[in-house]
Amino acid sequence: MAGLSQQLLRRKPFAQPRGAHDGPELARTLGTFSLMMFGVGATVGTGIFFVLQEAVPDAGPAVMVSFLVAGVAAGLSALCYAELASSIPVSGSTYSFTYHSMGELMAMVIAACVLLEYGVAASAVAVGWSGYFNELLNSLFGFQLPDALSYSPVPYEDDVTGLVNLPAVVLVFLCTILLIRGASESAKVNTIMVLIKLGVLLLFVVVALTAFRADRFDHFFASGSAGISAAAGTIFFSFIGLDAVSTAGEEVKDPQRALPRAIMGALVIVVGVYLLVAFAGVGSQPLAEFSSDEQQSAGLSVILENITGSSIPGTVVAAGAVISIFSVTLVTLYGQTRILFAMGRDRMLPDRFASVDSRTMTPTFNTIVVGVVVSLIAGFVPADYLWDTVSIGTLVAFSVVAISILILRRTQPGLERPFRVPGYPVTPVITVVACVYVLSGLAAITWVIFSVWLAIVLAFYFLWGRRHSRLESGDHEGATR
């Protein structure tokens, strides 16, 4: 048995990064376009359909800068993800990259980050979807679900409480069923929903610009750098889709080419759409209205109703949000299951998490586990407690990806790299700096929640994971210590 220090620092070998793996494998069924739509599907929606109402009160009109800061940090990270995903095209994304570059202990730290990132993101988005679903019911049929079935029992400030957020639970259940059916089926449904989503957001931009007033951007920097960084921290989780692309590395045809192209293509689409919608939205109404109660659950729909005096445009946006935010939940749940699959195959979790259904070629057991846990969080925890918790996991993961680039360029100079980060080593260093800046704007309670979760995951690793690791049993040859 290896000593403790050897266990903590041992690294997964590069002997067969593109060939057969120890343990179960997934079918390669996804192409570049489907993968790009995965990235857009996981990203566009969370940041625009309801986080705008959270970020504008912090940053004011300078929320444009907040989106740019988050976008620059995500763009730099995307370059790093593209290099690592093309070099190590396996399930697990940041967790797997870190296992290869920094060792087992850091891999578990990052596992804690990405499990928090994906699990909480799926829950937060499902809660937001619930608000648009009720808005759509009200617009179409003149009624909505009672508060008891639309809100969690956990209070947040003066918000309404209920028994359970039933629409959020149902959404997670539907996504779980679709994921169990298979990755290619999920990708087709996601692509359709993404195209609907982009069309609806284009409609919002066109209508909102009819009420545009330049004076709403006066006193642009009144919130100061603190407000900008706080808003950027809240917004940043919406770039989680870029990470979701790399979790699919093992199910992609020609991953060395497809992964970098899909990541960069998704980034361009996402940043462009975010800036357009934010610009049109801020210019269309007084800033104080973003904090109003009526905009907290379905903000973009309410903005259009206020502009046009008609419920039709708002109903279209609400319908688009109900359809398209489904895709965000779907892809974030997908990413969570693939990270758990990689951890199960490495025996950092019980083998059952890596079991693959022989018919659908999907990790059915861990998909069901993820669905149950996420639905419980979505049903009983308000979204306000979830936003920043997602951001901290995403930011730490993005930082570690950049650091992994620096390490692997030195320790594995001969590793095949179909895509290389431009501007090395400046780009990875700037990526870390940008992520640290956004992290500095997160609230103290977010750090407390993150620290408690990290302690739980590391306790599991020291008590169970390190003794059952595939590297501990010697199933991997060539492990580096």
Side-chain angles (χ1 to χ4, degrees):
M1 178 181 291
L4 179 60
S5 62
Q6 290 178 312
Q7 289 176 328
L8 302 183
L9 299 175
R10 59 193 174 196
R11 299 193 296 274
K12 196 173 179 179
F14 285 90
Q16 295 177 315
R18 298 178 189 81
H21 298 276
D22 297 314
E25 294 196 11
L26 303 170
R28 293 192 181 274
T29 58
L30 303 177
T32 302
F33 181 74
S34 294
L35 195 60
M36 188 185 303
M37 292 299 97
F38 256 47
V40 178
T43 310
V44 175
T46 53
I48 288 300
F49 279 107
F50 35 83
V51 170
L52 200 61
Q53 279 63 41
E54 302 287 336
V56 172
D58 286 334
V63 73
M64 299 292 297
V65 179
S66 299
F67 272 104
L68 282 174
V69 169
V72 167
L76 294 171
S77 301
L79 294 172
C80 298
Y81 268 105
E83 175 170 324
L84 290 179
S86 68
S87 304
I88 315 170
V90 297
S91 291
S93 185
T94 316
Y95 157 77
S96 294
F97 303 155
T98 307
Y99 209 164
H100 282 289
S101 63
M102 302 174 72
E104 196 164 278
L105 177 63
M106 277 304 300
M108 284 303 292
V109 170
I110 293 306
C113 293
V114 293
L115 291 176
L116 182 71
E117 171 186 345
Y118 282 99
V120 177
S123 302
V125 173
V127 173
W129 181 86
S130 176
Y132 274 99
F133 179 74
N134 265 327
E135 176 74 15
L136 181 62
L137 286 180
N138 188 51
S139 298
L140 292 178
F141 307 111
F143 76 91
Q144 58 186 34
L145 294 177
D147 290 347
L149 298 179
S150 302
Y151 294 92
S152 79
V154 178
Y156 180 82
E157 295 181 351
D158 296 324
D159 287 351
V160 179
T161 58
L163 296 176
V164 62
N165 192 325
L166 183 60
V169 173
V170 171
L171 173 63
V172 174
F173 173 77
L174 293 174
C175 290
T176 301
I177 295 299
L178 186 56
L179 288 173
I180 289 173
R181 290 181 58 84
S184 60
E185 289 81 358
S186 301
K188 291 173 185 176
V189 173
N190 174 71
T191 298
I192 294 171
M193 290 189 289
V194 167
L195 295 177
I196 293 172
K197 174 189 311 189
L198 295 179
V200 167
L201 289 174
L202 179 61
L203 169 67
F204 172 82
V205 171
V206 171
V207 175
L209 286 177
T210 63
F212 184 86
R213 286 176 48 181
D215 61 0
R216 289 175 177 142
F217 289 87
D218 291 347
H219 310 293
F220 192 79
F221 291 106
S223 63
S225 61
I228 292 172
S229 64
T234 300
I235 291 165
F236 195 86
F237 95 98
S238 59
F239 288 94
I240 192 175
L242 303 174
D243 190 11
V245 170
S246 61
T247 64
E250 203 168 314
E251 296 168 271
V252 182
K253 305 169 186 176
D254 191 16
Q256 288 76 32
R257 293 172 180 262
L259 283 165
R261 291 173 179 174
I263 290 171
M264 299 313 298
L267 174 70
V268 171
I269 294 172
V270 166
V271 173
V273 170
Y274 278 12
L275 289 176
L276 273 175
V277 175
F279 179 74
V282 171
S284 69
Q285 67 175 13
L287 296 178
E289 293 189 16
F290 285 96
S291 302
S292 66
D293 292 339
E294 65 173 352
Q295 293 197 19
Q296 291 308 299
S297 61
L300 299 191
S301 296
V302 176
I303 290 174
L304 292 192
E305 288 181 14
N306 291 341
I307 291 173
T308 63
S310 168
S311 63
I312 295 177
T315 300
V316 172
V317 170
V322 167
I323 295 170
S324 62
I325 295 174
F326 188 110
S327 71
V328 183
T329 311
L330 178 69
V331 179
T332 48
L333 286 173
Y334 170 88
Q336 179 84 295
T337 63
R338 271 38 181 187
I339 291 167
L340 290 174
F341 170 80
M343 295 178 70
R345 190 167 59 187
D346 292 335
R347 293 182 185 157
M348 304 297 280
L349 289 173
D351 289 341
R352 192 76 186 277
F353 283 88
S355 61
V356 175
D357 184 271
S358 59
R359 184 176 62 85
T360 63
M361 297 302 294
T362 58
T364 303
F365 171 78
N366 96 46
T367 301
I368 294 172
V369 171
V370 168
V372 170
V373 172
V374 170
S375 64
L376 289 174
I377 297 173
F380 296 98
V381 181
D384 305 83
Y385 288 115
L386 301 175
W387 298 124
D388 288 353
T389 309
V390 178
S391 292
I392 195 169
T394 309
L395 287 161
V396 173
F398 279 20
S399 300
V400 170
V401 166
I403 295 170
S404 294
I405 292 286
L406 298 170
I407 292 173
L408 290 177
R409 286 287 188 99
R410 293 181 62 85
T411 61
Q412 299 289 332
L415 182 66
E416 183 182 352
R417 294 176 171 87
F419 178 88
R420 287 176 173 265
V421 171
Y424 175 86
V426 176
T427 301
V429 172
I430 294 176
T431 300
V432 175
V433 172
C435 289
V436 169
Y437 170 75
V438 181
L439 279 167
S440 68
L442 297 180
I445 186 61
T446 304
W447 286 97
V448 172
I449 294 171
F450 175 71
S451 299
V452 171
W453 169 244
L454 181 59
I456 292 171
V457 173
L458 291 181
F460 174 83
Y461 168 68
F462 281 106
L463 294 174
W464 193 93
R466 67 187 178 93
R467 294 188 174 90
H468 294 81
S469 167
R470 192 176 289 276
L471 295 186
E472 178 70 12
S473 65
D475 288 357
H476 270 300
E477 294 183 1
T480 306
R481 292 187 173 96

